[in-house]
Amino acid sequence: MLTEQIYTHLRDAIMRGRFAPGDALKPQDLAKEQGVSLAVVREALVRLVGEGLADRLPNRGFAVPAFSDRRWQEIAEARRTVEPVLLRMSIQRGDLDWESRVRAAHHRLSRTPPYVPDEGEYYSDAWSEAHRVFHRTLLEGCGNPVLLETFDRLWTASELARRWSSRRNPDRDGDEEHRKLEEAALARDPDTAAATLTQHLTLTAAALTDAAD
């Protein structure tokens, strides 16, 4: 379907940094560039708005969300509220199979290159997926699919902010943060694991706050 193709193209362009935060997304220009109708582009842009990857501006068309958008901090607050609780539950309830999956997910993440030249300046799709799987696997030991669905929604909503944050704080040692998360979880240390995860999430949001300031 043509709309799906244009949506995928625009989503990838935003995710890979081809449009900067706050950049205008002009339907007429995009339609001309892609050789499609204005209606197709508008439909794709409306879908992106629904996913939080674009804003619809009154009388001004569409734009990529800005660093200063309050939603990023609200999502970060929600994640800091929910995910440490799920991690504690996972440590309490997780079995040997969960431990094995956490170790395997961390191994995959640590061995996947975060950047690929052909995919732009932000995290590669392969690394982003390995990152998601690691964080979700940490929480899957909780055994509650309803709570995990909440994690899934928050993770999707924060993907763009996460990619921006990595560019704002290039000296951050994410590998070490993930290693500490794995260690604390497998050591069955809920206090350290929850504190480590909270700090991990806080640093991501802080990079955008610094950018806005």
Side-chain angles (χ1 to χ4, degrees):
M1 185 176 177
L2 193 54
T3 300
E4 183 71 22
Q5 293 175 4
I6 299 303
Y7 157 78
T8 299
H9 169 77
L10 292 176
R11 187 183 189 281
D12 287 348
I14 293 170
M15 285 294 192
R16 294 176 180 177
R18 294 172 189 164
F19 292 104
D23 274 0
L25 298 168
K26 301 178 181 178
Q28 289 183 332
D29 291 349
L30 293 170
K32 183 178 180 180
E33 174 190 305
Q34 297 300 313
V36 298
S37 70
L38 192 60
V40 167
V41 171
R42 285 188 176 277
E43 187 175 344
L45 287 170
V46 168
R47 184 173 170 185
L48 290 168
V49 170
E51 295 183 353
L53 298 179
D55 287 335
R56 192 165 195 168
L57 309 176
N59 303 317
R60 289 190 292 145
F62 300 85
V64 178
F67 275 131
S68 57
D69 196 319
R70 181 174 175 79
R71 86 183 71 176
W72 308 127
Q73 301 306 319
E74 291 173 343
I75 292 169
E77 182 179 53
R79 291 188 65 195
R80 288 194 300 267
T81 301
V82 172
E83 292 180 34
V85 173
L86 295 189
L87 183 54
R88 286 180 177 276
M89 292 170 65
S90 286
I91 290 171
Q92 293 168 358
R93 300 176 180 178
D95 57 13
L96 182 59
D97 179 63
W98 169 74
E99 289 186 6
S100 299
R101 287 187 289 111
V102 168
R103 192 175 298 279
H106 180 257
H107 180 73
R108 177 187 176 195
L109 176 62
S110 65
R111 294 300 181 92
T112 302
Y115 300 103
V116 176
D118 293 342
E119 293 192 15
E121 65 180 28
Y122 293 165
Y123 286 137
S124 71
D125 290 343
W127 189 91
S128 295
E129 176 61 9
H131 188 215
R132 183 194 69 80
V133 169
F134 172 66
H135 275 270
R136 196 183 198 281
T137 303
L138 281 171
L139 309 183
E140 285 175 349
C142 76
N144 187 319
V146 176
L147 289 172
L148 290 171
E149 286 175 6
T150 300
F151 164 81
D152 291 338
R153 289 194 297 272
L154 291 172
W155 184 272
T156 299
S158 63
E159 177 64 23
L160 184 56
R162 187 161 42 252
R163 293 187 180 213
W164 286 346
S165 177
S166 70
R167 301 300 297 172
R168 299 298 306 184
N169 189 5
D171 296 328
R172 181 180 175 187
D173 192 349
D175 290 343
E176 179 66 8
E177 293 175 35
H178 292 135
R179 184 189 65 78
K180 288 180 177 178
L181 270 173
E182 181 207 24
E183 285 186 353
L186 297 184
R188 302 286 180 158
D189 183 345
D191 291 338
T192 299
T196 301
L197 179 56
T198 299
Q199 177 68 5
H200 183 67
L201 299 174
T202 298
L203 288 173
T204 298
L208 295 185
T209 301
D210 292 342
D213 292 342

